[in-house]
Amino acid sequence: MKIIALANQKGGVGKTTTAVNLAAALAESGHATLVVDLDPQANASSALGVHATEGASIYRVMSGERTLQQQIVQTPWANLLLIPSEPDLAAFDLEVAGYEQRNLMLRNALEPHLSGLNVEYILLDCPPSLGTLMINALVAADSVLIPLQCEYFALEGLGRITGVIERIKGETGHPAQGIEGIVLTMFDIRLNLSQQVRADVIAHFPEKLFESIIPRSIRLGEAPSHGKPITVYDSAGAGATSYRLLATELVKRQSAAAPAPAVAAPAA
């Protein structure tokens, strides 16, 4: 099982779009995937046809009121599960401000339940600001996937989030924590700016940039209003194809990073 946080301190970069559609592409290819919506705006939930409901979020697990399994919702699509958001998440920072262990609440809530959870990937959709919810996600995750919009200030925001990730990795001592990869979103091949952002990321993070690129697409923008991932809403379109390629690339990276099985020594 791999827990991946999708995070970027800047809003409007395609973070939730990537969380939902990457999860759908992974599920479509047979990899059971759970999306945890940590954003009080509940965009990931509505994009999967689920409305934010009081008492339905991961916050109830963090507070000890409910178990992880009780909060999981089966979406209409095989292998694709969701823990939706709820309005109370908006007050999370204030409610836990005095807790000494506030940044560990999500990690502590997830760990006791992981052995009984039959999924391969957990994708944590973070809010677009560096508050307690995002910090909790970064601490709980094995790695972080950073969606990066192809725009002028992209690298400036990238520098901020990578700095936070490295600081948390150092504080927790979790060897697996770090950047899973960077995926370019809203890419327009006709624009020099898109090409320049890609070149800049390659120059600074050559081993972290995914080859798969998410294009600017009207269909990707329409799909959430229909409560469907792009793999269902426009299955043959460029957006669906790009997320399928990203899912394939992610799985290949996981396979390449997995330790080789031990080989028994030959008998004397």
Side-chain angles (χ1 to χ4, degrees):
M1 180 189 296
K2 187 72 179 282
I3 304 174
I4 302 175
L6 286 93
N8 193 319
Q9 290 170 263
K10 188 178 183 306
V13 299
K15 174 185 55 62
T16 296
T17 297
T18 296
V20 168
N21 293 309
L22 174 58
L26 287 167
E28 182 185 69
S29 60
H31 301 280
T33 302
L34 169 65
V35 177
V36 180
D37 190 351
L38 288 166
D39 189 344
Q41 298 177 82
N43 290 333
S45 302
S46 60
L48 291 172
V50 178
H51 295 293
T53 305
E54 183 178 350
S57 77
I58 192 70
Y59 177 53
R60 307 299 166 168
V61 184
M62 291 191 282
S63 64
E65 298 172 51
R66 298 176 69 84
T67 67
L68 189 70
Q69 285 79 0
Q70 286 175 320
Q71 301 302 80
I72 293 175
V73 174
Q74 173 64 60
T75 72
W77 305 285
N79 298 318
L80 184 53
L81 305 171
L82 170 72
I83 296 181
S85 181
E86 67 169 304
D88 282 0
L89 275 178
F92 180 78
D93 281 22
L94 291 175
E95 291 186 14
V96 304
Y99 294 6
E100 186 176 344
Q101 299 277 306
R102 60 184 176 276
N103 292 334
L104 296 172
M105 290 179 68
L106 180 57
R107 184 171 175 176
N108 292 340
L110 290 175
E111 283 184 343
H113 304 283
L114 294 180
S115 60
L117 198 60
N118 190 26
V119 300
E120 293 181 59
Y121 292 94
I122 299 177
L123 302 187
L124 307 176
D125 183 39
C126 298
S129 59
L130 187 59
T132 311
L133 279 170
M134 183 188 283
I135 295 295
N136 264 267
L138 297 180
V139 170
D142 297 316
S143 60
V144 183
L145 192 155
I146 306 173
L148 189 70
Q149 184 182 4
C150 295
E151 63 165 22
Y152 183 72
F153 291 111
L155 282 181
E156 184 177 319
L158 181 58
R160 292 197 192 101
I161 188 66
T162 54
V164 172
I165 293 167
E166 288 304 309
R167 177 170 60 82
I168 290 173
K169 181 178 179 179
E171 290 175 356
T172 61
H174 189 334
Q177 280 175 328
I179 301 173
E180 179 71 39
I182 300 163
V183 58
L184 297 180
T185 63
M186 305 180 198
F187 189 91
D188 190 335
I189 197 170
R190 301 167 299 177
L191 299 180
N192 289 334
L193 180 57
S194 290
Q195 302 288 0
Q196 184 60 54
V197 170
R198 182 174 182 272
D200 288 345
V201 176
I202 290 173
H204 290 84
F205 302 92
E207 297 180 359
K208 295 299 183 181
L209 183 63
F210 281 98
E211 292 182 13
S212 307
I213 292 173
I214 311 304
R216 188 175 293 278
S217 165
I218 293 174
R219 292 293 193 179
L220 279 172
E222 292 175 347
S225 65
H226 295 267
K228 298 177 181 179
I230 194 64
T231 51
V232 176
Y233 178 70
D234 186 30
S235 182
T241 299
S242 65
Y243 276 110
R244 290 188 183 109
L245 290 171
L246 179 62
T248 299
E249 190 175 354
L250 176 65
V251 172
K252 285 182 178 178
R253 285 192 179 197
Q254 300 306 309
S255 299
V263 178

